[in-house]
Amino acid sequence: MPADRLARATRPPVRIAHLGLGNFFRAHQAWYTAAAPDAGRWGIAAFTGRSRPLATSLTEQGGLYTLIVRGPDRDDLQVVGSIAEACPGDDFASWRAVLTRRELSLVTLTVTEAAYRRARGGGLDDQDPEVRADISAFRTGSPMTTVPARLAAGLNARRLAYGGPIAVVCCDNLPGNGVATARVTMDFAAAAEPALLPWIRDNVSFVTTMVDRITPRTTPEDVAAVAAAGPVDEVPVVTEPFTEWLLEGDFPRGRPAWEEAGARVVTDVTAHEHRKLLLLNGGHSLLAYAGSAIGLTTIADAVADPRCRAWLDEWWDEAVRHVPLPAAELADYRAALLERFANPRIRHTLAQIAADGSQKIPIRVLPVLRGERAAGRPATGATRALAAWITHLRGVGAPVNDQGAQPYADRAASPREVLTLLAPDLAGDTSLVDALTRLAA
Ligand code: CS2
């Protein structure tokens, strides 16, 4: 007899709309929502980026899925029930309809750095052909594909139908992610529907958050292991035991009691955001390019390799100088990070992390490179990370999977030209250019 599939009789009422239904969201925000004591009052209508299969599988399972919390020695399986509705991202009519529901209190986002369509200065990239197409589509009421457009269209539907206030909670690895989300949304509104702009200013609270939980891709072996242990789940998620979530901002219509599940509501996330983006994500990007270039496959492989370990330490020694937290706290964080990276049962591939480098390098590496050079120090760790990305763009190591890579790949033969495009303020620094050229050779 075939094993039973995950199923349920009741679900929590939808008060959260989410864009970016994927593994990270299911390991992090959906898990916090399910673990909060008031979980029964807070259901999520979650929309994928564009794909349909995940939404279909989840719908067949009543929104339920298994979270495999993978420690160094054992798996802990938890069934998570906060997703009340799973919808494909191209179901634009449902997205707009959900946003108009009176009881909706939050819109949350996990869509990756690239999806915000930011130009180099942080505003909306109005030269992006898909952004331009969405500005026209907004005016004719046609479906839209980019995140700023979908967010603006959803908020506009709310404005016209009901008008109540709402919080938008960004859960992506961008510095000041609430402000960054506000900026692209308002830029889109200014171009597509100026009447929306004052409404957003008066009614929408953009919350800034720092999110952290390492979530590798699910493998067929993970699906088989879940089925062997209990009901069949076509779409389980694997994650590490560690998790962290800091939130800064206002929630005009309330929120789940996430702090009871371990989240922290703070007045300023900046220092912790720097700590995470530079030490964890910056370390990840360094290893993704430098580790894959020497034939390694996962983060655990990389930290077990003495060359990569030395590069990581060199990077961290520089990066900690740019995180305004006590030295002892940073030392503890580094030690804990090393243990997390070394978890041999988490198969976090360097190729997965290598994606979208053109979006990640400016956030994860450039602040340290700038800070170290301004202080008159050599910045060898940061320069090595940048050089490793340049060799990756030349075709070494993990495959290039990055829509924004082309202008950099076209210049990858000349590190000076890459630097001119990436950080024009640093391009006149001849010692840096020499070091970059040497390390990328
Ligand atoms: C990683 C992140 O893929 C990447 O770029 O650095 O997804 C990282 O695993 C998460 O931010 C951990 O919280």
Side-chain angles (χ1 to χ4, degrees):
M1 212 180 79
D4 286 343
R5 183 100 182 254
L6 277 178
R8 67 152 82 167
T10 59
R11 16 180 128 208
V14 169
R15 294 174 67 194
I16 304 173
H18 181 74
L19 196 52
L21 167 57
N23 283 5
F24 177 71
F25 158 71
R26 294 191 293 147
H28 194 265
Q29 185 222 314
W31 175 84
Y32 278 94
T33 305
D38 51 359
R41 294 178 47 232
W42 292 91
I44 307 171
F47 290 73
T48 63
R50 291 187 194 186
S51 79
R52 286 190 161 251
L54 177 59
T56 305
S57 297
L58 279 171
T59 301
E60 287 167 359
Q61 303 177 176
L64 296 178
Y65 63 92
T66 313
L67 188 65
I68 307 171
V69 181
R70 182 155 289 168
D73 325 302
R74 59 185 289 268
D75 286 352
D76 175 26
L77 269 48
Q78 308 172 5
V79 173
V80 178
S82 53
I83 298 181
E85 293 170 24
C87 311
D90 59 7
D91 184 354
F92 191 62
S94 294
W95 170 252
R96 271 206 289 229
V98 167
L99 264 287
T100 62
R101 293 188 197 171
R102 194 172 279 266
E103 62 283 6
L104 198 81
S105 305
L106 303 166
V107 177
T108 57
L109 300 163
T110 51
V111 290
T112 78
E113 297 89 334
Y116 291 86
R117 309 287 174 137
R118 300 192 310 160
R120 217 163 283 132
L124 184 68
D125 183 359
D126 57 10
Q127 300 306 307
D128 180 322
E130 290 183 29
V131 168
R132 293 166 85 104
D134 277 353
I135 292 172
S136 310
F138 190 103
R139 295 191 182 126
T140 58
S142 315
M144 289 157 239
T145 59
T146 66
V147 167
R150 284 154 79 185
L151 194 50
L155 294 173
N156 197 44
R158 188 170 185 81
R159 172 179 79 98
L160 297 173
Y162 157 62
I166 197 153
V168 172
V169 185
C170 176
C171 301
D172 280 295
N173 290 319
L174 297 172
N177 61 12
V179 176
T181 306
R183 182 140 177 225
V184 293
T185 311
M186 300 222 212
D187 284 354
F188 187 88
E193 171 56 291
L196 178 58
L197 212 47
W199 185 85
I200 292 179
R201 279 202 198 99
D202 292 346
N203 291 279
V204 184
S205 167
F206 289 91
V207 176
T208 293
T209 77
M210 186 279 274
V211 294
D212 190 7
R213 197 166 203 182
I214 291 171
T215 308
R217 288 211 178 98
T218 310
T219 65
E221 292 74 37
D222 299 323
V223 177
V226 169
V232 171
D233 180 347
E234 280 185 358
V235 287
V237 183
V238 177
T239 195
E240 62 172 340
F242 179 93
T243 182
E244 198 173 24
W245 196 12
L246 268 63
L247 302 106
E248 167 196 336
D250 298 327
F251 297 86
R253 301 284 311 274
R255 58 169 172 79
W258 286 319
E259 69 279 18
E260 304 280 332
R264 280 189 287 159
V265 179
V266 297
T267 49
D268 188 356
V269 302
T270 315
H272 293 88
E273 170 194 282
H274 283 25
R275 184 198 66 183
K276 197 260 171 170
L277 291 176
L278 301 182
L279 301 188
L280 190 156
N281 297 115
H284 260 178
S285 289
L286 163 72
L287 297 176
Y289 305 122
S292 66
I294 56 172
L296 303 173
T297 306
T298 67
I299 287 289
D301 295 343
V303 292
D305 178 279
R307 292 160 295 179
C308 283
R309 255 310 295 283
W311 297 333
L312 185 61
D313 283 334
E314 173 190 60
W315 161 254
W316 279 346
D317 287 346
E318 289 170 16
V320 286
R321 299 195 191 113
H322 305 280
V323 182
L325 287 171
E329 190 176 330
L330 291 169
D332 288 350
Y333 186 76
R334 273 172 75 153
L337 211 44
L338 208 48
E339 271 185 39
R340 294 170 63 195
F341 282 6
N343 183 344
R345 300 182 67 245
I346 294 276
R347 238 190 98 68
H348 200 192
T349 65
L350 301 175
Q352 181 182 348
I353 298 164
D356 291 335
S358 65
Q359 302 293 320
K360 294 174 178 174
I361 291 287
I363 292 167
R364 302 174 176 197
V365 176
L366 291 188
V368 176
L369 188 60
R370 287 200 172 95
E372 289 293 282
R373 294 305 293 151
R377 289 188 289 263
T380 312
T383 311
R384 191 184 305 283
L386 187 54
W389 179 57
I390 293 173
T391 53
H392 159 78
L393 291 172
R394 292 178 191 153
V396 177
V400 177
N401 176 9
D402 177 0
Q403 286 207 346
Q406 204 53 52
Y408 300 104
D410 290 345
R411 293 164 173 80
S414 163
R416 188 180 49 77
E417 282 185 36
V418 172
L419 198 59
T420 306
L421 189 62
L422 185 70
D425 52 310
L426 293 173
D429 182 339
T430 49
S431 325
L432 172 61
V433 172
D434 289 348
L436 194 58
T437 307
R438 204 171 52 250
L439 289 170

